Amino acid sequence: MAPLPEGVTYPQWLAVYNALSFGIAGMGSAMIFVWLQLPNVKKQYRTALVITGLVVAIATYHYVRIFNSWNAAFNVTNGGDATKDYVVTLSGEPFNDAYRYVDWLLTVPLLLLELICVMDLPADEAQSLGWKLGVSAGLMVALGYPGEIQDDPAQRWVWWGLSMCPFCFVVFTLVIGLGDATNSQVNKAAQSLLIKARYLTVVSWLTYPGVYIIKMMGIGGAKATVYEQIG
């Protein structure tokens, strides 16, 4: 766990507080909606929908833990005087940002498996792709975390570079490797949806390397912490 910086302002603290709260509400409601829709989905696609529900359930749990850890890490008070501004100070409690990486270690491979499940691939091909993409996604997260807790930019760049190797493999597979399987879909509407799902997954993944390098681009202190937590 990297130490939190001094000097977090009340608006900065509140921005992270509200972003985490919004995430919990969004993912928690998505979990309920997805699982309620199970009876309305064809049996062959229910596994994918169950995986979707598991992803948002796991994410909801971990974001609750991050939210509680963020609150515990700070004291926010105006001294009981309504005319004064709120002051944010460190409480001395650690902020456990590792919850985010534990969440990704579970949910990122599951998201890729979910996409494979709806592509109606032959069993052997689906199993092979599932293992390749799942292991690569887990390796990306595992290699990224050691750099996340480093203060030395050089060390962060090393771990970032290592984590980008499996990252690039997964992105290449989503953009190029699954092209033939997508084009082989008989239903043109389904084919269009799969193309959008593949590229939406890639776009969402691109936030990871971008947020990771915030502290390596000369941004530090409270501002970098806020950008990372909201990003």
Side-chain angles (χ1 to χ4, degrees), residues 121-145:
L121 298 170
D124 57 341
E125 185 179 353
Q127 185 177 22
S128 175
L129 269 174
W131 275 107
K132 288 177 183 178
L133 293 178
V135 171
S136 297
L139 191 60
M140 178 199 76
V141 175
L143 288 172
Y145 182 67

Side-chain angles (χ1 to χ4, degrees), residues 7-226:
V8 175
T9 65
Y10 179 65
Q12 289 173 331
W13 176 87
L14 192 62
V16 175
Y17 179 99
N18 288 333
L20 292 172
S21 179
F22 180 81
I24 292 167
M27 289 181 289
S29 58
M31 173 189 65
I32 296 170
F33 173 79
V34 165
W35 281 342
L36 286 177
Q37 292 303 307
L38 274 174
N40 301 325
V41 176
K42 288 184 177 181
K43 190 174 181 179
Q44 68 189 94
Y45 299 118
R46 286 180 186 173
T47 298
L49 204 60
V50 169
I51 292 174
T52 302
L54 286 174
V55 166
V56 286
I58 293 168
T60 300
Y61 166 77
H62 282 113
Y63 270 77
V64 168
R65 298 303 300 268
I66 295 170
F67 179 83
N68 291 339
S69 185
W70 178 260
N71 288 338
F74 294 95
N75 291 319
V76 182
T77 181
N78 62 359
D81 187 344
T83 63
K84 293 183 178 180
D85 294 332
Y86 283 100
V87 176
V88 180
T89 56
L90 296 177
S91 67
E93 294 289 330
F95 173 57
N96 191 358
D97 197 33
Y99 287 127
R100 194 182 307 276
Y101 274 81
V102 174
D103 175 77
W104 289 342
L105 195 60
L106 294 169
T107 59
V108 172
L110 286 174
L111 281 169
L112 296 173
L113 290 176
E114 171 197 353
L115 184 59
I116 293 170
C117 284
V118 299
M119 295 191 71
D120 202 21
L121 298 170
D124 57 341
E125 185 179 353
Q127 185 177 22
S128 175
L129 269 174
W131 275 107
K132 288 177 183 178
L133 293 178
V135 171
S136 297
L139 191 60
M140 178 199 76
V141 175
L143 288 172
Y145 182 67
E148 184 65 37
I149 59 177
Q150 298 287 334
D151 289 326
D152 180 11
Q155 289 295 318
R156 289 179 67 91
W157 278 116
V158 168
W159 289 106
W160 180 85
L162 290 172
S163 68
M164 286 302 98
C165 294
F167 173 89
C168 289
F169 170 76
V170 173
V171 170
F172 175 82
T173 303
L174 288 173
V175 175
I176 306 297
L178 294 178
D180 290 341
T182 303
N183 294 333
S184 67
Q185 299 289 323
V186 177
N187 189 314
K188 295 301 179 183
Q191 183 184 101
S192 175
L193 288 172
L194 284 173
I195 292 172
K196 291 176 182 177
R198 284 165 49 210
Y199 284 103
L200 182 60
T201 303
V202 170
V203 170
S204 67
W205 267 49
L206 291 176
T207 60
Y208 174 73
V211 172
Y212 196 103
I213 65 173
I214 285 175
K215 289 182 178 177
M216 292 117 79
M217 302 301 292
I219 303 174
K223 185 180 292 186
T225 298
V226 171

